Amino acid sequence: MTDLTRRRSDNDQHETWHIYFGDVRIGTIGIRAGVPISADQWGWSLGFYPGMEPSTQRSGLAPTFAQARAAFELAWQQVEPTLREDDFEVWRRDRDFHAWKSRMQAEGCRMPTQNSNGWSRCFCGEPIPIAYEVHIYTVHRGIGA
């Protein structure tokens, strides 16, 4: 079983941790904003989309980071056996598509759908047809990681 890892969010305003299972971001643990001091200060959420149905996602509150982390890990132990590799792959493909599309826009490249003949040139130099998914998932696999 792949261990869970965490990475600190870029947001300097709030302490938030992104939780990963391998290369898939499966949830977050963070300080809640705007709650009274008497309320639980930490919140956690487990779930990723696409790949996991919204009805199977979990979340909760805790007074400390350690308790939020423990609750998250317990929920993961219950959810993880219900997931298949295909569920994670759906998320990876979505991540890579959006990263590729952002890079195309940043480089000033046109999408094949923006040209009347249905072809364009990728930022890597390859000609790409309107059915460009194969190009993304073979040549640019992991671009969003």
Side-chain angles (χ1 to χ4, degrees), residues 38-56:
S38 59
D40 288 338
Q41 296 298 299
W42 289 86
W44 60 271
S45 68
L46 167 62
F48 55 93
Y49 188 85
M52 224 176 126
E53 291 301 317
S55 62
T56 61

Side-chain angles (χ1 to χ4, degrees), residues 64-142:
T64 68
F65 173 79
Q67 290 170 315
R69 180 180 172 190
F72 184 97
E73 289 176 355
L74 180 62
W76 177 245
Q77 289 172 4
Q78 296 166 353
V79 169
E80 194 267 336
T82 68
L83 299 171
R84 303 174 329 231
E85 180 56 32
D86 289 348
D87 300 325
F88 299 110
E89 187 60 25
V90 167
W91 187 88
R92 287 182 193 107
R93 286 177 175 248
D94 185 69
R95 172 202 63 197
D96 291 346
F97 167 74
H98 284 92
W100 176 82
K101 186 171 88 171
S102 292
R103 175 88 182 267
M104 287 287 285
Q105 291 171 343
E107 300 279 336
C109 300
R110 293 174 60 91
M111 300 293 282
T113 54
Q114 294 174 307
N115 295 325
S116 60
N117 66 0
W119 282 83
S120 187
R121 190 163 296 278
C122 181
F123 59 83
C124 71
E126 290 290 318
I128 51 173
I130 202 160
Y132 47 79
E133 292 85 2
V134 172
H135 175 77
I136 298 170
Y137 306 137
T138 55
V139 178
H140 301 292
R141 173 97 174 150

Side-chain angles (χ1 to χ4, degrees), residues 11-64:
N11 185 347
D12 293 334
Q13 304 300 316
H14 299 285
E15 184 175 355
T16 302
W17 296 90
H18 297 166
I19 312 302
Y20 287 83
F21 179 68
D23 64 338
V24 177
R25 185 172 140 187
I26 63 166
T28 60
I29 301 173
I31 292 180
R32 299 169 60 211
V35 297
I37 291 180
S38 59
D40 288 338
Q41 296 298 299
W42 289 86
W44 60 271
S45 68
L46 167 62
F48 55 93
Y49 188 85
M52 224 176 126
E53 291 301 317
S55 62
T56 61
Q57 297 178 4
R58 310 272 173 86
S59 63
L61 306 173
T64 68

